[in-house]
Amino acid sequence: AQRVTQPEKLLSVFKGAPVELKCNYSYSGSPELFWYVQYSRQRLQLLLRHISRESIKGFTADLNKGETSFHLKKPFAQEEDSAMYYCALSGRGGSNYKLTFGKGTLLTVNP
Amino acid sequence: DTGVSQDPRHKITKRGQNVTFRCDPISEHNRLYWYRQTLGQGPEFLTYFQNEAQLEKSRLLSDRFSAERPKGSFSTLEIQRTEQGDSAMYLCASSSLAGSGNYGYTFGSGTRLTVV
């Protein structure tokens, strides 16, 4: 069974501080990992995919297969980063369509 | 095409009534998904269409739930004999079938169902 765990429901940091949102997963195989973000009163949207190794809005995430983790990091948090963040995984190939989401972490960046 | 549209945004219904939600995906997307999200939880997979074919249904989707995508374009999700436990946000998403990668979904704003 595939599972995504986000251990922190709430995370509060000050503007300019580093931020790390934790994500651990369980999957028998090589999954594809994603971070989705939902800003206040907006729809859920894709932030980044591990496979593209990109940095979006200053956020990066590295897939650690040994620790089965995909933590989201940003060196200097901004107030506009305050949002709900969801980690998600899918399979590959024929099973790559279905996403399994974690419960989410609400990030608050204080001024 | 401004993205994935869902209608209605909110629905309040009495227990036992039937409700139907509509989703219009991005026109170029041939994959369409329904998810359900309850308070404090991430979205949970309900069902998946590739074009007009419903290829997977979650065991979360009881016999009271039915989804269609008749012409491979818009989709409807119907809940019969609603129960209070059906109260949730119902999310629709779409994506394209391109290569073997998962390029991520585009989500709609959701339909919030309240069963009273």
Side-chain angles (χ1 to χ4, degrees):
Chain A
Q2 54 196 59
R3 186 169 60 246
V4 175
T5 303
Q6 294 180 250
E8 304 139 328
K9 290 184 68 173
L10 303 169
L11 184 62
S12 182
V13 301
F14 285 103
K15 176 182 173 181
V19 63
E20 180 180 66
L21 291 90
K22 292 184 168 52
C23 172
N24 290 91
Y25 66 90
S26 173
Y27 186 78
S28 56
S30 293
E32 296 197 36
L33 276 297
F34 306 82
W35 278 97
Y36 281 78
V37 61
Q38 188 166 27
Y39 301 102
S40 180
R41 295 189 178 86
Q42 294 188 26
R43 61 186 67 188
L44 194 59
Q45 58 186 280
L46 177 66
L47 179 62
L48 55 79
R49 304 178 295 143
H50 94 270
I51 203 166
S52 57
R53 297 182 178 274
E54 56 203 346
S55 173
I56 303 293
K57 299 184 179 182
F59 284 97
T60 59
D62 290 320
L63 179 60
N64 186 323
K65 293 184 179 179
E67 296 182 358
T68 58
S69 68
F70 187 57
H71 303 328
L72 184 68
K73 300 176 183 179
K74 185 170 183 177
F76 308 103
Q78 302 299 314
E79 289 180 67
E80 56 264 30
D81 296 328
S82 296
M84 193 73 176
Y85 291 81
Y86 294 95
C87 182
L89 71 79
S90 74
R92 292 179 185 259
S95 61
N96 71 355
Y97 55 86
K98 184 165 68 177
L99 284 174
T100 298
F101 286 85
K103 293 185 177 182
T105 297
L106 180 62
L107 173 66
T108 302
V109 181
N110 300 297
Chain B
D1 193 328
T2 56
V4 178
S5 299
Q6 291 189 245
D7 183 68
R9 294 290 302 273
H10 304 275
K11 179 70 177 179
I12 300 174
T13 191
K14 291 183 177 179
R15 188 175 52 187
Q17 297 293 306
N18 299 344
V19 294
T20 300
F21 310 142
R22 178 182 170 118
C23 172
D24 288 89
I26 292 174
S27 56
E28 308 86 67
H29 287 177
N30 50 12
R31 291 178 163 184
L32 186 146
Y33 316 83
W34 285 98
Y35 278 73
R36 181 171 65 188
Q37 186 173 22
T38 54
L39 198 61
Q41 304 293 319
E44 295 175 295
F45 173 81
L46 292 180
T47 191
Y48 155 62
F49 290 86
Q50 185 164 309
N51 299 311
E52 66 275 9
Q54 187 175 22
L55 298 186
E56 184 172 344
K57 288 174 61 174
S58 166
R59 54 185 171 82
L60 291 176
L61 218 62
S62 75
D63 291 344
R64 297 183 297 105
F65 288 72
S66 62
E68 294 183 340
R69 193 183 184 196
K71 297 182 180 178
S73 56
F74 73 92
S75 176
T76 57
L77 178 67
E78 181 183 16
I79 309 174
Q80 296 182 325
R81 305 181 302 281
T82 53
E83 302 172 355
Q84 287 191 317
D86 297 332
S87 296
M89 177 73 86
Y90 290 84
L91 296 169
C92 178
S94 67
S95 69
S96 60
L97 178 61
S100 60
N102 184 332
Y103 293 86
Y105 297 173
T106 300
F107 278 92
S109 296
T111 294
R112 181 168 296 283
L113 173 66
T114 302
V115 182
V116 297

